[in-house]
Amino acid sequence: MDSIKNSSPRHILVANAKGGCGKTTVATNLAAAYANVGQRVALWDYDPQASSQYWAEIRQGREEVAAPIEALASFKGPRLRETLSFSRRGSEGCDVIIIDAPSLTTASAQFESLVRMSDIIVVPVMTSSVDIRTSKRFITDLLTHRVYRARPRPIGVVGNRIGSASANYANLEQFLACSGVTTISQFRNTPVYAEAADQGIGVIEMFDNRAARREYRAWHALTSWIDEQTPRKLNVASARPRAVGRKLQQQINTQKNNA
Ligand SMILES: Nc1ncnc2c1ncn2[C@@H]1O[C@H](COP(=O)(O)OP(=O)(O)O)[C@@H](O)[C@H]1O
Ligand SMILES: [Mg+2]
């Protein structure tokens, strides 16, 4: 295990040109999922709306009970290059770096910079016809992007806010199969995501919530796929014991009862 102890962190970019498709939801839930299996996680928020940053601040208030995540307001940097070195310094020793991207067009310089630093790209897609159209366009532009083509990395699409069987999503899957892009998981449309966001946690940490538990399989599928794609960088040697999950649950329940 020592041979991989100092391997560099995996940079997971969560991106889509479409606003509101679930980038922050996926980024924060992924961060919680990895932190809970003992990985050292950094969460870089590149969106000036600072939703991930806000989530992480709430989480820091639970530092006694929630597995720690290093959050960085990466959008605050004066210039991209300086921001990146600032972010890197702040995330030394991390196993996983999750990058929450703003809604960017693939033509922007910032998009190019985010793709360049990524080892793997996760694209959340909702199923309205407008979302599917924008997402198809985004994925096509990504696949043909100069920076991507210079070093293609795995792209995983996750369906978000999936209700009953969606013809639109089936259509997207067909399109993706032709492009060689994999669809990994589907997350349901459920209020537990807003609940988790409000509490600075991931649904994977909501043991007492049946709707949250129904989502576990999809999150495990996503983390397993990411781990398969980037096995060399998995820094098992530094794994820490699992988070004190029961205490976190007790804290949340007590807060709810007192509200
Ligand atoms: N699977 C889901 N079920 C229910 N609500 C969701 C789900 N995913 C995201 N949301 C909600 O949709 C809104 C937008 O999601 P967000 O992750 O902030 O999107 P983005 O970062 O792409 O703009 C948020 O209020 C979030 O809580
Ligand atoms: Mg966001």
Side-chain angles (χ1 to χ4, degrees):
M1 291 291 165
D2 277 351
S3 59
I4 56 171
K5 194 169 180 178
N6 295 318
S7 56
S8 53
R10 298 174 285 171
H11 290 70
I12 305 169
L13 173 64
V14 184
N16 192 337
K18 188 79 178 63
C21 66
K23 295 181 291 296
T24 298
T25 302
V26 170
T28 52
N29 277 278
L30 260 185
Y34 276 115
N36 271 288
V37 291
Q39 299 256 323
R40 285 172 199 271
V41 181
L43 180 59
W44 292 358
D45 193 348
Y46 273 89
D47 190 341
Q49 287 181 5
S51 307
S52 286
Q53 191 63 19
Y54 179 65
W55 176 87
E57 277 167 21
I58 302 173
R59 188 178 184 89
Q60 272 153 18
R62 302 189 183 281
E63 62 184 355
E64 301 291 313
V65 288
I69 290 165
E70 284 185 44
L72 281 181
S74 304
F75 61 87
K76 280 190 179 159
R79 276 202 288 273
L80 283 173
R81 190 170 300 203
E82 289 167 39
T83 311
L84 183 55
S85 61
F86 157 79
S87 297
R88 288 221 166 105
R89 272 199 305 281
S91 307
E92 269 169 23
C94 283
D95 302 292
V96 187
I97 292 171
I98 296 165
I99 302 165
D100 185 9
S103 305
L104 290 171
T105 78
T106 49
S108 66
Q110 188 176 24
F111 180 78
E112 185 174 316
S113 158
L114 294 179
V115 172
R116 190 168 275 128
M117 70 174 87
S118 70
D119 297 307
I120 188 161
I121 303 171
V122 176
V123 182
V125 175
M126 296 203 314
T127 57
S128 78
S129 53
V130 173
D131 279 85
I132 296 283
R133 228 184 78 217
T134 317
S135 301
K136 272 184 175 176
R137 180 70 193 267
F138 174 76
I139 292 163
T140 306
D141 289 350
L142 175 57
L143 288 169
T144 51
H145 196 286
R146 182 172 45 81
V147 172
Y148 178 83
R149 285 173 54 145
R151 179 165 73 87
R153 49 281 264 166
I155 300 174
V157 170
V158 292
N160 192 30
R161 306 192 82 158
I162 305 286
S164 49
S166 160
N168 289 337
Y169 193 73
N171 171 292
L172 175 74
E173 282 183 312
Q174 230 172 19
F175 161 80
L176 292 174
C178 301
S179 315
V181 172
T182 325
T183 43
I184 314 297
S185 291
Q186 297 192 13
F187 305 118
R188 290 181 179 83
N189 185 15
T190 152
V192 293
Y193 284 101
E195 249 182 78
D198 288 347
Q199 296 175 1
I201 60 173
V203 291
I204 208 104
E205 294 169 309
M206 300 170 85
F207 309 107
D208 289 355
N209 187 313
R210 186 184 290 187
R213 288 201 304 271
R214 287 178 75 201
E215 297 298 282
Y216 282 14
R217 190 195 289 246
W219 287 101
H220 288 143
L222 178 56
T223 52
S224 301
W225 176 78
I226 292 171
D227 294 344
E228 277 166 25
Q229 304 303 311
T230 51
R232 278 182 302 107
K233 297 199 172 186
L234 190 59
N235 196 352
V236 179
S238 74
R240 292 173 298 178
R242 197 178 182 287
V244 273
R246 280 286 147 205
K247 283 197 188 149
L248 172 63
Q249 202 61 56
Q250 276 162 7
Q251 188 187 77
I252 290 164
N253 289 344
T254 312
Q255 280 173 356
K256 263 193 197 160
N257 293 340
N258 292 341

